[in-house]
Amino acid sequence: MTDLDLDALNRALDALPQRFRGPGGVAGVVWRGEVVAARAWGYADLTARRPMEAATRLPICSISKQFTCAVLLDAVGDPARLDARVAAFLPAFDGPLPTVRQLCDNQSGLRDYWALTVLQGAEASQTFRREDALPLIARMKTGHFPPGTAYSYCNCNFRIVSELIEAETGRALPDLYAERIFGPAGMATAELTSDTRHPADAVVGYEGSDATGFFPADNGIYWIGDAGISASLRDMLAYERWIDATREDEASLYRRISVPPGYADGTPASYGYGLSHETVAGVRVTGHGGALRGFRAQRFHTADARLSVVVMFNHEASAHAAASSLLAAALGHVAPAGERPEGWAGQWLDPDSGLLLRVAEDAAGLELRFATASDRLTVAAGVASGPGVTLRRDGDVLVMDRTADHLTVRAPALPAVEVADARDIAGRYRSAELEADMVIEARDGGCYAGFEGMLGTGPMERMHPVGPDVWVVTTRRSMDAPAPGDWTLQVRRDEGGRVAGLRLGCWLARNIDYLPA
């Protein structure tokens, strides 16, 4: 790629405040090692009327994962050197343990600890201290799959890696970030700000939307390794310039963390060393997104075009969609239109993950709800496809191939139920896996679930039936973002029809069994 459509790029940048409405944001583009466009709009604090600027530091959240992996390679070397130490973090785990490389590639199979905070009784804005993380991780007894066989996003992978780095080097992770990356890359103001109660530059993140209005997010988590870096647009564009400047050096950190990942069977993977490998606007990119309640961020780099895009918001609009629109404008990419879908809408239940699949139709294509975020698909020749996922119908069975996750699902149709009597499932249930409880209450047609565990007694969450003995528990706000969203709850009954147990799961934490207490 030799040409860039700067006019189209500038129009796309100017459209961001209206297309992705919220209190404020920043965006910038690096091409061939130079900043060719940048924007900063709105306010870092609406009440104080403090403008958002290119120098305002924002939490880049999970974009921090690649920095953790780069420090691992630079300061420790071969990750396998630390494999034997993983067992100390998972003393109750039954089964093969992940390697450090599998932690870095999100192939550990471990359940995500931020999702588990909901089931351990946490409230969205309560304080989660540094010392709260490892005891939560240590309770894990089983995982989603054998390590190295599939992909599952898991923040605690990187928390474990950060602890291993500090123990091996005898140095604090903030100092290693500064020495190995921030300094060499010219990220003059970037720093690790692990305590989200005290954001850099007192920037305010906002929950809500243009329809509901915006209100300040109250965050209280401490994170390190999986997230925690704050950086300005200037810092992030300096990082992208550094990536371009070191592109020919095989020993450069970005070249090392962006090597094509793979699974244990040799199949190519879509995530490695804290970087997502995907196709956006018709080109191969590496990058990552980041989220905390009130904040969203996304960076993409396409080595083939020597082009990088960074978008950061202090609200919850999709930074991924915004960054994708900038790449498309810059490269002149127009997504092909699909057929108008017919007969795809419905719901299915994956017997392996225990999760509900729901498909809705509109004029542009399909919306698939299965993982944490929904997937947009277009239909052509009887197959629905989108980034990393395809759907096809086999009678009443929906076949889903998630190549990005190394997963194939054959899900039978689930008959829809809109009203059900929850009185016979009301009561207290205990999860041996979590050493925590779930309480279900049913009254006058309403049904709610609450979770109790090592982090306290959480709020009651609404439940509603979706199929025979299948319910959805809604979690719209949690410590981390995005929240787990919809949990699928299945009721298991004995031969006499009495409740024998429940199975609960979301994409980040699947197949958790509960028995009557």
Side-chain angles (χ1 to χ4, degrees), residues 71-86 89 100 130 160-173 176 180:
V71 164
L72 171 70
L73 295 182
D74 202 41
V76 176
D78 184 359
R81 291 179 51 202
L82 306 180
D83 286 349
R85 302 186 189 180
V86 174
F89 296 91
V100 175
R130 179 169 187 166
I160 294 172
V161 170
S162 72
E163 297 285 344
L164 290 169
I165 291 171
E166 292 194 332
E168 173 67 12
T169 63
R171 300 184 60 192
L173 192 58
L176 291 169
R180 307 297 176 117

Side-chain angles (χ1 to χ4, degrees), residues 344-357:
W344 285 88
Q347 62 178 17
W348 297 259
L349 187 67
D350 175 16
D352 295 324
S353 70
L355 301 183
L356 189 67
L357 294 85

Side-chain angles (χ1 to χ4, degrees), residues 317-446:
S318 174
H320 186 283
S324 299
S325 74
L326 298 183
L327 273 183
L331 300 174
H333 177 76
V334 178
E339 303 167 2
R340 186 179 182 90
E342 292 184 4
W344 285 88
Q347 62 178 17
W348 297 259
L349 187 67
D350 175 16
D352 295 324
S353 70
L355 301 183
L356 189 67
L357 294 85
R358 284 171 287 184
V359 176
E361 300 175 353
D362 58 36
L366 304 179
E367 180 184 28
L368 167 66
R369 296 175 65 186
F370 175 72
T372 302
S374 60
D375 297 289
R376 289 294 310 180
L377 312 177
T378 56
V379 179
V383 175
S385 60
V389 59
T390 61
L391 296 180
R392 58 185 175 85
R393 293 168 292 189
D394 184 5
D396 289 336
V397 172
L398 186 69
V399 181
M400 176 176 64
D401 287 311
R402 299 186 72 90
T403 55
D405 304 323
H406 209 216
L407 176 68
T408 297
V409 170
R410 292 185 59 86
L414 180 68
V417 171
E418 294 184 357
V419 178
D421 188 346
R423 287 177 295 179
D424 71 335
I425 64 172
R428 178 176 291 272
Y429 299 83
R430 179 76 173 174
S431 168
E433 170 73 31
L434 303 180
E435 302 171 40
D437 291 356
M438 171 170 50
V439 175
I440 296 177
E441 294 189 1
R443 185 175 67 255
D444 291 345

